[in-house]
Amino acid sequence: MADEKIIPAYDAEAIETKWQKIWEDEHTFKARDDSSRPKKYVLEMFPYPSGDLHMGHARNYSIGDAMARQARMRGFEVLHPMGYDAFGLPAENAAIKHNTQAGAWTHRNMAQATATMKRMGFSYDYDRMFATCDSEYYKWGQWAFLKMWEKGLAYRATSPVNWCPSCNTVLANEQVVDGKCWRCHSVPEKRELSQWYLKITDYAQELLDDLDQLTGWPENVKAQQRNWIGRSEGAEIDFALVAEDGVTPTDRLITVFTTRPDTLYGTSFFLLPPESALAAELVAGTEYEPAFLELKKSVEHVSSVDRQGSEREKHGVFSGRYVVNPLTGKPMPIWIADYILLDYGTGAVMGVPCGDQRDFEFARKYGLPIPPIIAEKDDPLYEQLKDETELKVTDVDWDRAMAAEGYLIQSGPFTGMLGGKHSPAVDAIIDYLGERGIGRKTVQFRLRDWLISRQRYWGNPIPMIHCDCCGDVPVPYDQLPVLLPENLDLGAGETLAEYAPFYETTCPVCGKPAKRITDTMDTFTCSSWYYLRYCDPHNDQEPFSKAAVDHWMGVDNYIGGIEHAILHLLYSRFWTKVMRDLGMIDLDEPFINLLCQGMVKDANGDTMSKSKGNVVPPSSVIEPYGADTMRLAILFIAPSEKDFNWDEEVVAGANRFIKRAWRTVWGLANSADSSADLNPAKLSGASADLWRRLNEMGIKCTADFDRYQFNTSISAVMELVNDASKYLVDTPEDQRDGALCARVAHDIVAMLSPICPHWAEELFHEALGFTGSIYDEPWPEFDPEQAKSSMVEIVVQIKGKVRGRAMVPADATNAELEEAAKAAAANQLVGKDIKKVIVVPGRLVNIVAI
RNA sequence: GGGGGCGUGGCGGAAUUGGCAUACGCAUCGGUCUUAAAAACCGAGGCCGCAAGGAUUGUGGGUUCGAGUCCCACCGCCCCCACCA
């Protein structure tokens, strides 16, 4: 650069330290509740403080911070809070291992993480920061539990649950991932235990329906939730139990759930799961009992991992009893089979071996008949049996079940009807059963109630007391919070259940000695409403004021990992709806727009983990290059929702760019004349070109930013910096336009400021001479008209192939374009017959000639 | 088995409604500066060909003046759920 004027070196560490202090001292990013500006709530999923922040956090928060800072420049009052999901097992395990307190360990980690957040320059309103282990917070989690208890949404029940032997606690269904504990990956055992639940199933239909209104959510997350909720339409059908004599029907009914009532004629046996109390009752004292008990025992010892998967061989035993098929009136044997689930549907299934592969395999193994009752028209069976209403063919020689679509055969009065899911035959048979009161249309969900009790110390205590006289009694509201004692001797293996000062109490109803519930709540209860608390974090009268939540909610931009697609994001939606129904808020859904960022993997594409020793700590980038380089590199390397592999070269490249942009802005600033007015009409030559590019790239940068496409938004600024740099090299100083230089420098700084905030503030003040924060400046505006050039190059195609180019005035008419194109391609059109000409103004002319 | 998504240079990736494929960056190779290196700056190619030129968005077909983009089939990859009746 020919400039004589001084350009200071870019000293990232000095600049970043300086601005971090200024932002902190001046509370630059405090969210004002009483602002007249429109609000925007930008939120990143808060971290679990298991140590310092890692690259995944850095990426998550860099995305959110860019959004928050830009929203502010767009004129919004921005709420951008941060806190800690601080309860959980790692703290307890660390405390046991190092013989310290879980709270102390957690607070040490939180302090370190906060320091890293500040070192990254994230624009949080730190005054709103809290941790879920603060009693001022978890008190209101207990409050919510009691409200749910009052409404019947919290309850205690005994049922087979997933017990993790390594974590020594039960797990929610959602926390058994691939048949393993989501946290420690050990295989849970089934245990019959008395546990506490939240009745999320009451909201199954609404949780499903409202997904449609979440237009700002990624499709795959919504699909995962739909899948998990798992709505199935079908029918319940009552089968009469046959007396022990094997022939006399009794009044006792056993109900099944099926999505395919149209296959009822093909039902040749009846199934119960080994855990079924009814099954145990039916075989009690009979010759079939020993085999049944053996099967039941074998299931207990098979892990859920092994019991899952259709490859596993099915096992079953005959119960010695029968039920009556309500359509045929014929008795069918009741079998007990290990592929039947106790907790789906009614826990009883009708076996339809011709159409269901599982039933088919079971029938083959145990020699049960496989009557065909449905066939495609091209199936020989169809020709043979299409008019047959009685069961003629009672077995088949197939080697697998047939696709269960087609026409009913040998199915009584329904023979000939089209069968299949949602088919006429389904409706007809449901109607038929309904008229006789032995069947009805029904809907089933796969979603189970949320098991929230954990037999662990470091969590929010369930605010209930068990009294031998009065049963389960809620802790009175005025006694909240039930404080978690902080002085347990975890190292010596002490638990809440053994800690008398905690559990010894008196019954609030009868006053007699009673025992507190010593289970704590799943940490996901704490993270299900923290976004509401940020709206009003210091409220000591209620969890949050309705006015504050009305003002700030919903979360306009929620950013976090895809691994929460089901767990956290489903629980939070549920909690929001519960709070709404309690009259606390007027909100159906908490998160308006959701962005799930991809993972940061190592250079080989492996996930980073301590055990693999391939973790790249944020400090290893911040120290040599600075936070701004790191933020830029993370956002530039790939689209936000995609995984990327860590690449040191990209960081070096980002640092090269940030330094080049620094020099370019200084170069422009040194040529700037801030007193002159910018008059675009007067610009010519290189200055006019730069002005046009400023508008073109400004529009692209802004549009891509608005789509959260930070990588291409950044590339637009890079192009502008490249052009500006060329302008400084190619245009002698006395020919540069001072007003233009000032404007371009300003806009480059502004457009990069959400991503490289310290860099931007420093240039804004030191190079451009502004006072006040750049985040009080409006986002620059650009004019699409000014992005157009007077002459444009169009492509000349002949039959769709590029055959030449032509420079034409931007406002040329279609006829002029056609003429220019014909002139440009004249020598290739000689002797050809022009059939048709397609003109796309400003882009191309396609001449169809033969 | 059910659901969601994806295939573009050596690499990360770009390409509003179908309209110049490979923007931007990394790596590579030249050059300037330097005693030298680094940094910085300027430039080049990207597959085939010495070249003019041609080919090219997983494969095959279709629609269209024109397809990375739309439709059909196939191949390959990723993610989620799953003995859910």
Side-chain angles (χ1 to χ4, degrees):
Chain A
M1 234 163 279
D3 298 300
E4 299 299 317
K5 290 174 189 163
I6 292 167
I7 294 179
Y10 172 63
D11 181 346
E13 193 179 348
I15 292 168
E16 292 176 0
T17 309
K18 169 183 164 184
W19 285 99
Q20 283 156 17
K21 183 165 189 324
I22 293 172
W23 293 331
E24 186 159 357
D25 290 349
E26 301 191 351
H27 297 269
T28 310
F29 303 108
K30 186 173 179 59
R32 291 166 301 160
D33 294 292
D34 56 356
S35 169
S36 58
R37 294 168 154 219
K39 71 90 186 180
K40 184 150 281 190
Y41 189 171
V42 178
L43 182 65
E44 300 110 59
M45 291 181 187
F46 65 171
Y48 180 79
S50 60
D52 200 357
L53 302 180
H54 55 64
M55 277 300 169
H57 294 120
R59 188 181 194 191
N60 189 171
Y61 308 155
S62 294
I63 294 167
D65 199 51
M67 289 183 184
R69 287 175 182 269
Q70 197 244 12
R72 202 182 144 111
M73 298 173 77
R74 285 300 197 85
F76 293 97
E77 183 67 28
V78 175
L79 174 58
H80 187 215
M82 182 45 78
Y84 294 99
D85 188 14
F87 274 136
L89 206 43
E92 195 172 335
N93 290 340
I96 292 166
K97 193 171 166 191
H98 302 120
N99 203 18
T100 59
Q101 294 300 326
W105 183 86
T106 303
H107 280 97
R108 196 165 56 243
N109 289 337
M110 292 194 295
Q112 191 181 5
T114 303
T116 302
M117 287 172 190
K118 291 187 173 174
R119 184 62 194 85
M120 285 291 289
F122 296 135
S123 64
Y124 300 125
D125 180 350
Y126 287 97
D127 296 341
R128 292 180 190 246
M129 184 171 259
F130 63 81
T132 56
C133 63
D134 297 342
S135 63
E136 299 81 19
Y137 178 76
Y138 70 67
K139 169 181 177 176
W140 299 112
Q142 296 174 3
W143 176 94
F145 178 92
L146 293 178
K147 288 288 177 190
M148 291 191 221
W149 171 264
E150 285 171 10
K151 291 200 73 173
L153 289 170
Y155 65 94
R156 190 196 321 225
T158 301
S159 60
V161 295
N162 294 300
W163 171 270
C164 175
S166 156
C167 299
N168 280 318
T169 183
V170 298
L171 301 170
N173 266 19
E174 289 81 357
Q175 292 164 349
V176 181
V177 177
D178 289 336
K180 296 173 193 160
C181 171
W182 69 292
R183 192 188 297 111
C184 70
H185 307 293
S186 44
V187 176
E189 302 161 6
K190 281 280 178 196
R191 288 197 185 178
E192 185 87 6
L193 293 169
S194 171
Q195 296 294 322
W196 298 82
Y197 294 85
L198 297 185
K199 219 168 176 185
I200 192 171
T201 53
D202 268 15
Y203 289 82
Q205 188 67 54
E206 195 191 342
L207 287 166
L208 182 67
D209 291 342
D210 286 358
L211 287 171
D212 293 336
Q213 76 187 51
L214 297 177
T215 53
W217 280 40
E219 249 352 280
N220 63 336
V221 174
K222 288 191 278 185
Q224 279 184 46
Q225 293 211 355
R226 280 193 194 99
N227 225 318
W228 186 262
I229 295 168
R231 185 180 195 273
S232 293
E233 284 180 19
E236 284 179 356
I237 303 175
D238 304 327
F239 288 66
L241 181 65
V242 174
E244 282 170 59
D245 63 8
V247 287
T248 318
T250 67
D251 292 341
R252 191 160 175 194
L253 300 175
I254 312 175
T255 304
V256 299
F257 171 74
T258 178
T259 55
R260 295 296 304 278
D262 56 318
T263 61
L264 190 46
Y265 279 89
T267 303
S268 57
F269 51 95
F270 195 90
L271 295 158
L272 293 172
E275 300 90 344
S276 159
L278 174 65
E281 181 200 326
L282 293 180
V283 299
T286 71
E287 57 181 298
Y288 304 101
E289 187 169 27
F292 165 76
L293 291 174
E294 199 176 313
L295 177 74
K296 185 173 178 179
K297 204 171 168 191
S298 77
V299 169
E300 281 167 10
H301 287 279
V302 174
S303 69
S304 57
V305 144
D306 291 340
R307 204 175 157 186
Q308 280 171 5
S310 45
E311 326 79 47
R312 179 176 147 83
E313 192 182 338
K314 295 159 181 48
H315 303 276
V317 295
F318 178 46
S319 67
R321 298 290 292 271
Y322 296 82
V323 288
V324 179
N325 184 319
L327 289 186
T328 63
K330 290 184 180 143
M332 307 182 324
I334 301 174
W335 282 70
I336 296 140
D338 62 357
Y339 70 99
I340 305 304
L341 304 173
L342 181 69
D343 62 353
Y344 183 76
T346 61
V349 174
M350 58 187 221
V352 185
C354 72
D356 184 289
Q357 183 59 22
R358 296 158 298 174
D359 295 343
F360 182 91
E361 287 167 20
F362 190 77
R364 269 284 177 271
K365 180 170 176 183
Y366 293 103
L368 297 160
I370 303 177
I373 47 83
I374 194 162
E376 303 274 13
K377 281 195 167 159
D378 56 2
D379 188 332
L381 274 173
Y382 177 79
E383 243 352 275
Q384 185 192 343
L385 300 168
K386 64 180 176 176
D387 302 317
E388 186 55 60
T389 56
E390 295 298 316
L391 192 63
K392 272 271 168 55
V393 177
T394 56
D395 212 340
V396 294
D397 58 357
W398 306 340
D399 55 7
R400 58 169 297 124
M402 285 292 159
E405 305 279 315
Y407 294 86
L408 298 194
I409 51 176
Q410 43 184 9
S411 296
F414 307 100
T415 301
M417 293 186 80
L418 181 62
K421 283 201 170 168
H422 310 292
S423 63
V426 166
D427 294 336
I429 292 185
I430 292 176
D431 286 348
Y432 180 90
L433 296 169
E435 284 161 16
R436 283 153 187 79
I438 50 171
R440 60 216 69 89
K441 203 168 194 163
T442 183
V443 170
Q444 273 295 323
F445 293 96
R446 216 192 63 116
L447 184 70
R448 298 277 83 92
D449 275 340
W450 178 11
L451 198 177
I452 57 152
S453 46
R454 297 290 180 272
Q455 292 68 52
R456 299 300 311 200
Y457 155 68
W458 190 236
N460 189 2
I462 292 177
M464 297 291 292
I465 291 166
H466 186 79
C467 170
D468 287 338
C469 306
C470 311
D472 290 326
V473 177
V475 173
Y477 287 102
D478 61 12
Q479 290 177 23
L480 296 184
V482 176
L483 279 174
L484 186 68
E486 299 254 358
N487 48 357
L488 255 66
D489 193 350
L490 297 172
E494 195 167 36
T495 67
L496 272 189
E498 296 155 349
Y499 188 68
F502 177 76
Y503 67 70
E504 280 182 353
T505 187
T506 52
C507 174
V509 176
C510 68
K512 289 182 191 153
K515 203 178 165 194
R516 269 187 209 291
I517 298 302
T518 55
D519 286 356
T520 53
M521 289 188 238
D522 182 5
T523 56
F524 281 95
T525 62
C526 299
S527 56
S528 289
W529 68 283
Y530 74 110
Y531 49 91
L532 297 171
R533 182 70 177 176
Y534 282 140
C535 299
D536 191 12
H538 307 299
N539 194 327
D540 59 1
Q541 299 300 310
E542 50 187 346
F544 40 80
S545 80
K546 185 162 180 301
V549 170
D550 282 348
H551 176 64
W552 290 112
M553 287 294 288
V555 176
D556 294 279
N557 292 100
Y558 196 34
I559 307 116
I562 187 83
E563 66 274 16
H564 293 107
I566 295 170
L567 292 160
H568 164 62
L569 290 169
L570 189 63
Y571 294 147
S572 295
R573 296 182 59 221
F574 161 67
W575 204 282
T576 297
K577 291 173 190 298
V578 171
M579 288 299 122
R580 177 201 61 196
D581 291 345
L582 287 169
M584 296 293 293
I585 54 180
D586 291 327
L587 195 72
D588 293 324
E589 288 288 337
F591 311 126
I592 299 166
N593 290 294
L594 176 68
L595 190 155
C596 291
Q597 92 271 2
M599 290 214 293
V600 182
K601 300 184 168 175
D602 76 0
N604 302 316
D606 294 324
T607 49
M608 292 187 185
S609 74
K610 279 180 191 162
S611 56
K612 286 186 203 152
N614 60 352
V615 174
V616 180
S619 59
S620 72
V621 183
I622 299 173
E623 280 163 22
Y625 295 112
D628 284 337
T629 290
M630 174 148 168
R631 297 165 56 123
L632 181 70
I634 279 179
L635 292 176
F636 180 67
I637 189 168
S640 301
E641 62 286 350
K642 285 191 74 167
D643 290 355
F644 73 77
N645 299 348
W646 186 255
D647 185 350
E648 179 68 27
E649 298 293 350
V650 171
V651 182
N655 189 245
R656 206 173 301 147
F657 169 72
I658 213 173
K659 288 195 279 192
R660 195 153 51 87
W662 171 270
R663 288 191 304 272
T664 302
V665 169
W666 269 104
L668 291 166
N670 287 342
S671 289
D673 180 354
S674 52
S675 63
D677 284 338
L678 181 60
N679 186 346
K682 275 194 183 165
L683 296 174
S684 63
S687 296
D689 288 343
L690 182 60
W691 169 246
R692 191 186 66 74
R693 288 286 281 173
L694 171 69
N695 283 283
E696 184 186 1
M697 289 303 126
I699 287 166
K700 178 167 165 51
C701 169
T702 306
D704 286 352
F705 206 112
D706 290 346
R707 291 190 292 155
Y708 318 124
Q709 264 199 29
F710 303 107
N711 57 333
T712 52
S713 183
I714 291 165
S715 79
V717 183
M718 286 175 167
E719 288 192 60
L720 180 59
V721 169
N722 289 347
D723 288 350
S725 162
K726 200 177 294 257
Y727 178 79
L728 292 174
V729 170
D730 295 345
T731 311
E733 196 166 354
D734 59 359
Q735 291 173 33
R736 296 174 197 162
D737 187 280
L740 177 68
C741 287
R743 172 69 191 270
V744 172
H746 171 274
D747 289 356
I748 288 171
V749 169
M751 285 192 280
L752 228 39
S753 68
I755 294 162
C756 304
H758 318 81
W759 173 95
E761 287 272 44
E762 181 71 5
L763 287 170
F764 188 66
H765 286 78
E766 302 306 320
L768 302 176
F770 288 88
T771 55
S773 173
I774 192 171
Y775 301 103
D776 292 327
E777 282 276 296
W779 185 257
E781 295 205 14
F782 305 96
D783 183 352
E785 287 304 312
Q786 298 291 315
K788 292 175 183 167
S789 58
S790 56
M791 296 292 284
V792 293
E793 188 182 63
I794 60 159
V795 168
V796 180
Q797 294 182 337
I798 295 175
K799 287 187 73 181
K801 296 267 182 194
V802 178
R803 283 291 179 268
R805 283 151 213 281
M807 288 302 291
V808 297
D811 55 358
T813 63
N814 283 8
E816 287 165 347
L817 287 171
E818 189 174 330
E819 281 314 306
K822 282 177 182 165
N827 56 350
Q828 298 183 56
L829 291 169
V830 174
K832 288 186 175 165
D833 186 13
I834 297 176
K835 295 274 186 201
K836 194 174 176 185
V837 178
I838 291 102
V839 179
V840 183
R843 288 192 190 271
L844 60 75
V845 176
N846 187 9
I847 300 170
V848 186
I850 301 170

